[in-house]
Every structure is written in C-alpha cells, then in structure tokens.
Amino acid sequence: MKFKTILATAAAVTLATAAQAQVGPSVGATVYGPEGDVVGTIDSVEDGIVVVNTGSYSVPMGESSFGEGEQGPLVSVTKAQLDNYAQQQEAKMIADRDAALVADATLYSSDGFEVGTVTSVDADTAMVLIDETPATFGRDQFAVDKNGMLVVVFEKAQL
C-alpha cells in the first residue's frame, strides 16, 4: 500500500512541476496593461526574454516583468508607454550610429572582426574599404555595439 501512495505522490509532484513549468508568457498570447488595455502580442520567449509586438515595435522584456491577469499575461506599462520607450531606444541607437559613422572610422563585422575603414559618408550610404576593395552600404546596415565600436550587420565571412 505504501508503494502505491509513494507512486501516486511522485506522479502528482511530476504533474504539478510540469504544469508550473508551463505558467508564464507564451508565444501568441495577448499582453494586457495595468488598466486591462491590450499592449501587444508575444512574438517569442527565449532564455528569459519575452518579445512583445505592440504593432509599432517589437520590444524585448524580461520574463519577470510579467504577471498573470484575469485575461492573460499582464505588464505594468501601457502600449503608449512601451512604444514611447522603444521609440526613445531607437532614436538613441540611430544617434550613436550616426556619431560613429564617419570617414576614417574603423569598421567591424557583426561577429567582431576588424574588416575595414569608412572612406566617406553621405545621407543614405557609406563607402568603405574592405581588404582594399571599395564597397557601399546603406546607413541602416551599420550599428554601434555595446563597446561603442562601429559594426556592419554582416559577419566577416559574408563580406
């Protein structure tokens, strides 16, 4: 009899653990704000990062930012606040990129290798020398990494 009790207890613990693992934000779920308003939809959940698509922006948020509301996943910000935050972050990234995208700047690949030098920049494009070969990239193909280095969005092997 004790064996059956132990087996039933183990099964209950296993089911409870599996159910608990499934709690939290899931792909496709609608996210609600503090007033019950729709903030967006969850595009992806990976390594504790939940990407919420507001219709205007896809915003990564920590999984711990989510609670469980009556209707589904709940966050403490409105759609307007989340869009405003994303817009500010986008503006900062563009300003950082534009400050770094200047003639004679060293250029790195997205996988961290030094690949060339910027020779000139105009409103929409930049000319670069990669292994002594001139190339043109659109301004939107550049970014600044977390170390402030100018990066082209291609890996070294692609260049």
Side-chain angles (χ1 to χ4, degrees), residues 10-158:
V13 169
T14 302
L15 289 173
T17 303
Q20 187 176 19
Q22 293 173 356
V23 172
S26 59
V27 174
T30 300
V31 177
Y32 296 90
E35 304 292 321
D37 54 318
V38 173
V39 173
T41 305
I42 297 176
D43 278 350
S44 66
V45 179
E46 187 174 328
D47 296 329
I49 303 298
V50 179
V51 177
V52 177
N53 185 331
T54 67
S56 301
Y57 295 96
S58 290
V59 183
M61 299 177 71
E63 198 167 3
S64 63
S65 301
F66 292 81
E68 192 60 40
E70 291 179 15
Q71 298 173 303
L74 180 69
V75 293
S76 63
V77 296
T78 65
K79 178 185 181 310
Q81 289 170 322
L82 196 56
D83 280 342
N84 185 46
Y85 169 79
Q87 186 177 28
Q88 290 174 358
Q89 293 303 305
E90 181 180 57
K92 182 182 180 331
M93 289 183 339
I94 290 170
D96 290 348
R97 177 207 59 204
D98 290 349
L101 186 56
V102 295
D104 297 324
T106 301
L107 182 63
Y108 293 84
S109 61
S110 64
D111 52 351
F113 293 96
E114 185 176 327
V115 292
T117 304
V118 177
T119 57
S120 66
V121 180
D122 68 23
D124 297 323
T125 60
M127 295 287 297
V128 298
L129 277 179
I130 298 176
D131 294 330
E132 304 303 319
T133 303
T136 303
F137 294 99
R139 185 177 284 270
D140 62 348
Q141 293 178 304
F142 295 93
V144 174
D145 72 7
K146 63 183 176 184
N147 299 317
M149 307 303 281
L150 181 63
V151 175
V152 66
V153 296
F154 299 102
E155 293 181 357
K156 183 178 181 182
Q158 294 172 303

